[in-house]
Amino acid sequence: MEERRLMKGNEAFGLAAILGGARYYFGYPITPQNEVTEFMSRELPNYGGFFLQAESELAAINMAYGASAAGGRVFISSSSPGLALMQEGLSGLASIEAPVVVLNVMRGGPGIGNIQPGQADYYQVTRGGGNGDYHLIVFAPASIQEAMDMIVEGFEIADRYTNPVLIAADGMLGQMMEPVTLPSMDKEYSLEKILKTKPWALTGHKNKRERNVIKSVYLKQELLEEHVLKIFEKYDKAVKELPSFEEVDLKDAEIVYVAFGTTSRMVKEAMELLKEKGVKTGLIRPKTLWPFPREAFDGIDKSTKMVVSCELSMGQMIDDVKLSLKGRLPVSLINRTGGMLLTPGEIVERTLKLL
Amino acid sequence: MRAIFEYTKGMRDQETHYCPGCTHGIAHRLIMEVLEEKGKLGEAIGISPVGCSILAHQYMDVDMVEAAHGRAPAVATGIKRVHPDAYVFTYQGDGDLASIGMAEIVHAALRGEKFCTFFINNAIYGMTGGQMAPTTLEGQKTTTTVMGRDPAVSGNPAVMCEMLSQLKGAVYVERVALNSPANIRKAKKAVSRAFEVQEKKLGFAFVEFLSICPINWGLAPSDAMKWLAENMMEVFPVKQFKNPLEVK
């Protein structure tokens, strides 16, 4: 039977990871995601899992790298400056083709910034941040329920693509409470069962097979190019299979907003207010930030005169919006940054000025 | 006729990329011989570092993974959580372990992680071409200390065994040298004890190997062996710092 609960975002994210089969979590305290780490320390051992508080985010991601290379199902979480420290490991995980689900509860930046919600990690999560040619698969939830579902699905996708999956939540989602329906749990879960699906994992060769070597160094340039091309075959597949979005009221819309995460909820309220004023607006809400759902923009109606990227940053996703539109329509930005939020009222006011 | 010495099954039949006179080959062999004698090659998981020995997995015939620079102890921590009964070891040089990876090794020791770390100290960066290492001796010339290491400018050598033996979680700490047949036999004994500590899940086991780098030291291998004995052993005394009662 479905179980309903009222849960705080950060605790719900942790529970989703456990229900999704994560049995290894390595964390380092950083606000506004501390409740994830605290929850995992309390709950993971009850499910036969292992929690460890690492000495740094750098160590945490490298512990995740080891546990994933050993075949474990691994979940880690951090917030913007902590994710910056994890970039070395994320590049490494993409190179050794090891799955892991990473939760980023984004806050204001740059630098130490502050602990208010932000979306200025868009570049960091979609454009790399680590060295070399690789991508993270990035999901952007707009509710706690959606985040839970994305985390559970994230493990399956990380395994399928043998690549890190990142959930880009923000401080607002992490700190608020919402009713959720719990995802169902795989009762048959066992490490043995998982290892059967990962013949590449480090287990010790038991004198029964050739040794497994997991590597990311390819000193011969021809071999490194070949390795990167092989990884990018997976990314080509991801671009075909994974883009996901929600569209709202595109038909007859004069203005189409593009917004993800909590910002999309402010935009939806602003759209109701504008409807009362007789302004028809629509919304494209990317659920995946990489691969970006470019095909969503094919659904924009002839009635649309302008596309507006709404972001809690100085305009980062707007680059992908422009790439998707290929110059067909003018693109504007409605934004706040530094941990400030967009209110529906401000969106309405700034939209009316654009008209 | 009875063979009195055989190449260990733990080493693959392959030429190494190490420079003439380098002691990495000896350290590799000792670790593999001990695992073979314990019948645990099939249970072993090794972590190779960034540095000359990044390709150790080409030679050691056990499951292995490369770690980013300095992170081998964190990677080993993750592996050991998934396979608590595996024989997990990190193999790290002085730049990797005592410079960029200082936090990871100290915290692995603080936690009493149940794996072994084999630390190759040759007082210089090998792969990048002879720069100052954290273990470079005072006055030693390197490509980044061309007048000799001046402690006023570049600090003092990192004495890892002395540091780590202060920590409760590091239960076995020994420094050995790879400069003579007698010392190499002692080194093998230390490797064996380190794995026994892990087998008995007593805590963190650390073995430092004083090693030579003839190419970057600018010395012939035989002179490099002498330089190790005359200069390194004074700063890095060869001795057992800690050994639990359960291990002989």
Side-chain angles (χ1 to χ4, degrees), chain A residues 65 209 211-212 216-217, chain B residues 42 57 63-64 66 71 83:
Chain A
Y65 176 106
R209 58 160 169 78
R211 77 201 198 292
N212 280 345
S216 77
V217 70
Chain B
H57 53 68
D63 276 11
M64 287 195 79
E66 290 163 0
R71 317 293 172 231
H83 302 299

Side-chain angles (χ1 to χ4, degrees), chain A residues 24 26 50 52 55 58-59 62-63 65-67 70 72 88 191 195 201-207 209 211-217 219, chain B residues 12 41-45 54-55 57-58 60-68 71 74-75 77-79 81-83 103-104 107 111 113:
Chain A
Y24 305 94
F26 307 95
F50 294 87
L52 185 60
E55 62 269 29
L58 206 49
N62 282 287
M63 288 169 182
Y65 176 106
E88 167 191 283
L191 181 61
L195 285 175
L202 305 169
T203 57
H205 57 56
K206 318 284 185 201
N207 303 311
R209 58 160 169 78
R211 77 201 198 292
N212 280 345
V213 173
I214 296 182
K215 56 191 260 126
S216 77
V217 70
L219 295 177
Chain B
R12 301 175 73 227
L41 288 168
E43 313 301 319
I45 302 174
I54 190 165
L55 297 178
H57 53 68
Q58 291 303 299
M60 298 181 179
D61 202 5
V62 297
D63 276 11
M64 287 195 79
V65 60
E66 290 163 0
R71 317 293 172 231
V75 173
T77 298
I79 292 171
R81 289 298 178 286
V82 181
H83 302 299
E104 283 76 12
H107 282 272
R111 289 191 300 267
E113 288 293 338

Side-chain angles (χ1 to χ4, degrees), chain A residues 174-208:
Chain A
Q175 294 299 323
M176 69 187 193
M177 293 184 88
E178 281 185 327
V180 291
T181 303
L182 299 192
S184 60
M185 186 163 143
D186 179 7
K187 295 254 168 28
E188 303 289 300
Y189 177 91
S190 76
L191 181 61
E192 285 64 37
K193 198 175 124 186
I194 286 188
L195 285 175
K196 277 191 191 133
T197 67
K198 297 179 177 176
W200 45 263
L202 305 169
T203 57
H205 57 56
K206 318 284 185 201
N207 303 311
K208 283 181 186 156

Side-chain angles (χ1 to χ4, degrees), chain A residues 104-121:
Chain A
N104 181 15
V105 184
M106 299 187 288
R107 67 186 226 185
I112 299 166
N114 62 20
I115 59 173
Q116 312 306 324
Q119 294 183 323
D121 282 4

Side-chain angles (χ1 to χ4, degrees), chain A residues 245-248 250 256-259 282-286 293 296-297 300:
Chain A
F245 60 94
E246 177 192 2
E247 61 168 63
V248 183
L250 291 190
V256 168
Y257 297 107
V258 186
L283 167 69
I284 291 172
R285 175 173 76 89
F297 294 78
I300 292 178

Side-chain angles (χ1 to χ4, degrees), chain B residues 39-56:
Chain B
K40 298 299 179 189
L41 288 168
E43 313 301 319
I45 302 174
I47 297 103
S48 64
V50 168
C52 293
S53 51
I54 190 165
L55 297 178

